[in-house]
Amino acid sequence: MGVGDDVYQDITLYDLVFENRGGLRVRVEGLSTGDLLDFVGLAGKIPDGGNAGKLDEETSQTVVMLMETLAGALVEWNVADRDGKVRPANMEGLRACGLALVMDIAGAWVSAQTDVDDGLGKDSGSTGTSELERSIPMEPSSPSPGS
C-alpha cells in the first residue's frame, strides 16, 4: 500500500460500566493479542484461594506490571477522590484506588476483549457456506432407471 491509501487502524475502545459500583464508567483501549496473552499470563501468577492477599515481593511486582499495562490503556473514567475530584486515568489514578476496584476493572477489561459476541459475523456478508457448497445439490438424486 502506498502513502495516502486508506488504512485500517487496529484500535478498539471498550466502554466498561459497573452498575454494582454506582455507575462507574471506564473507557479503555484494547490490547494486541500478544499483549493480552501476556497480561492474562501475569494475572494467573497472582495467588488466589488460601494464598490470596499474601503480597510477597514477586506478587507485588506482578501486580505493578498488570497495573502499568492497564494504566497505559486507560482513556478516561469517572473515578473520583473523597473531594469529588476525578482522578487521572493513569498509573497515579490507579495507585490511588483500592486494589479490589483495580482488579474489578482489569477483570472486566479482559472479559470485554475475550468474550465472543453472539452477533459475531452476522454483518460480514458471509453465509457460512462457500460458492462450491451452494452449488452441490442437496436433494436426493432420482433413482436410476435401471435399478
Side-chain angles (χ1 to χ4, degrees):
M1 299 190 93
V3 176
D5 289 343
D6 289 337
V7 295
Y8 172 76
Q9 284 191 300
D10 187 17
I11 298 172
T12 303
L13 294 176
Y14 297 93
D15 292 316
L16 309 176
V17 179
F18 299 80
E19 297 300 334
N20 62 331
R21 287 195 172 270
L24 166 65
R25 292 183 319 276
V26 179
R27 176 171 271 191
V28 64
E29 190 175 311
L31 293 173
S32 69
T33 301
D35 288 344
L36 179 61
L37 292 171
D38 291 345
F39 187 88
V40 171
L42 279 174
K45 292 182 178 182
I46 297 175
D48 58 2
N51 292 323
K54 295 181 180 172
L55 283 178
D56 59 19
E57 185 176 337
E58 182 181 346
T59 302
S60 180
Q61 288 175 350
T62 300
V63 170
V64 169
M65 290 170 61
L66 290 170
M67 288 176 62
E68 287 172 345
T69 303
L70 176 58
L74 286 173
V75 175
E76 64 182 345
W77 62 3
N78 64 344
V79 178
D81 62 19
R82 289 187 179 144
D83 298 326
K85 183 179 175 192
V86 175
R87 292 181 176 145
N90 58 22
M91 187 62 165
E92 176 188 345
L94 279 177
R95 290 181 68 97
C97 294
L99 185 57
L101 173 61
V102 172
M103 297 310 282
D104 282 354
I105 293 170
W109 180 44
V110 168
S111 291
Q113 294 178 82
T114 57
D115 287 349
V116 177
D117 184 359
D118 290 337
L120 185 65
K122 287 185 179 174
D123 295 330
S124 69
S126 172
T127 62
T129 56
S130 70
E131 188 66 36
L132 177 61
E133 289 173 305
R134 287 191 298 274
S135 70
I136 299 172
M138 298 306 294
E139 299 173 8
S141 56
S142 57
S144 62
S147 54

